[in-house]
Amino acid sequence: MDLVTKKAIIWDEESYGMKYTEIPIPEDLIDTVDEYRAQLVEAVAEYDDHLLEKFFDNPDSITEKELKAAIRQATINMTITPILCGSAFKNKGVQTMLDAVCEYLPAPIDLKPVEGINPETDEVEFRKPDIDEPFSALAFKIMTDPFVGRLAFFRVYSGTLDAGSYVLNTRSMKKERISRIFQMHANKQNPIDKILTGDIGAAVGFKDIRTGDSLCDEKHPILLENITFPEPVIGLAIEPKTQADVDKLGNSLAKLAEEDPTFRVRTDEETGQTVISGMGELHLEIIVDRLRREFKVECNQGAPQVAYKEAITGTVTHREVYKKQTGGRGKFADISVEISPVDANLTDKAGKPIELKNGLQFVNEIVGGSIPREFIPSVQKGFETAMTNGVLAGYPLDSLKVRLFDGSFHAVDSDSLSFELCARMAYREACRKAKPILLEPIMSVEVVTPEDYMGDVMGDLNRRRGQLEGIDSRGDGQVIKAKVPLSELFGYVTTLRTITSGRGVSTVTFSHYDSVPNSISEGILAKAKGRTEKV
């Protein structure tokens, strides 16, 4: 039933949703449709007083055009969210959904000009959605196609782009040639000569474009708002079933990692295993399934592992001297540092906040040349590199503040490598004294369940160290919101189905990292220590 047109829509089963017919509302549903249509008009009436007056005088006098205009305005202001019925499985509702996109969602000209930063001047600039403006676009997805190679999906915010022309990638500040442009469809690709403002297309022929890169006119550079991707929270060790697939696996994982910025691949230095990391169990299951289906690589996989992190809670002042004498020129570096948790309000001499770089907040307070200026970046690099392995169990350090305030050097024996190695040694020694703790990912869990099973669901979340945040009603069900450690959520979907007789559903998203209770932390550290000793 379409409340706007007051028509009933019937989709043809035999055409698999391709054909549909509109009929008058059945008599037994007329009262129901009128009731909900009145609620719809009431919801959008604050954007159109004339509509409200007509509703009170004569509801039947409201035209379809007037109602659509009011719904569109309320949708653009994000006051209401239109909902349409449909079934993806049977292709029902596809046509009405696409019509609603055209009728209610904002066109580029309905929105403010896109805002960006000129990388040459660091000043804010705007691009209007106009074909006469300089070209600007955002690459939002990279995909590997078996026929045309790597595709970069991009949305054009201003200007036009011709196939075969050059654009500037403001991340790398290098030119990229877009040899071909495709208009993408579900099952085919249409090559096009040019792409205009507001369009979405796929580029082919580039060398180095990544997800989130800004593409623009060479003479008018602009850096659009970057896409922020969360850190992976779960890892899985995998290996190919046959030795012949070793190289194939590496190439396949590299392609998948390029497509999906939330998917990471690394080699565990202690075990030598290939570890893939992602946003959840389902994410990694799909990755392994794609390896088998698309890349024809069969894998053995271990049990999922939580991506723990480490942090320090204390402040420690430490002096480290690195001295090594061999037959020829030796190695010498001497640094004095204070390490502590990150200070969110820390500013430099100019009053600008000191930002984190790879989790490190580095403060250089060397005066008088006790350490030459050219060696300072090596000290910073040493701490950055060392942070990938914590002192408790080898997990990455979440964040660290380092204040370098003194040191010394040798005119002959000191070099950049000496100070980098000295910083790594200082990190290991100082962090052990700075009250290190273990951090675990905490997930936001939302469970929708019938009221009859609420007690069992809440009890199960409590057993999983969950902290309940609230309960809301949604239709005939109850919505339970909680924060639960990821380590306690393995297999939760199956358990929830069992508790609720298959009627409960859950949504799990990453929230934040928090400290692990001591009783549980001891077991994790013992397990990590045992794994290291075994290797």
Side-chain angles (χ1 to χ4, degrees), residues 322 329 331-333 372-382 413-423:
Y322 174 60
R329 181 180 172 184
K331 298 282 185 185
F332 179 83
R373 189 182 304 169
E374 62 266 25
F375 296 149
I376 303 298
S378 298
V379 177
Q380 183 173 352
K381 183 183 176 184
D413 293 346
S414 292
D415 58 13
S416 296
L417 181 60
S418 299
F419 276 93
E420 184 178 335
L421 293 173
C422 186

Side-chain angles (χ1 to χ4, degrees), residues 347-352 354 364-367:
T347 58
D348 58 15
K349 294 178 181 178
K352 292 183 178 180
I354 298 178
N364 176 22
E365 293 186 359
I366 293 295
V367 291

Side-chain angles (χ1 to χ4, degrees), residues 35 59 61 74 81 109 129 148 157 166 199 217 232 244 246 257 265 287 315 325 331 343-344 369 399 405 461 473:
E35 178 188 346
S61 65
T81 304
I109 56 174
V148 298
Y157 285 95
Y166 286 87
D199 287 344
D217 188 303
V246 172
V265 183
I287 292 290
T315 301
Q325 193 66 44
K331 298 282 185 185
D343 183 358
S399 59
F405 61 87
L461 290 173
S473 296

Side-chain angles (χ1 to χ4, degrees), residues 143-163:
M143 192 178 83
T144 303
D145 187 275
F147 302 106
V148 298
R150 291 165 65 228
L151 289 166
F153 287 77
F154 63 98
R155 188 264 171 101
V156 182
Y157 285 95
S158 63
T160 63
L161 178 67
D162 294 320

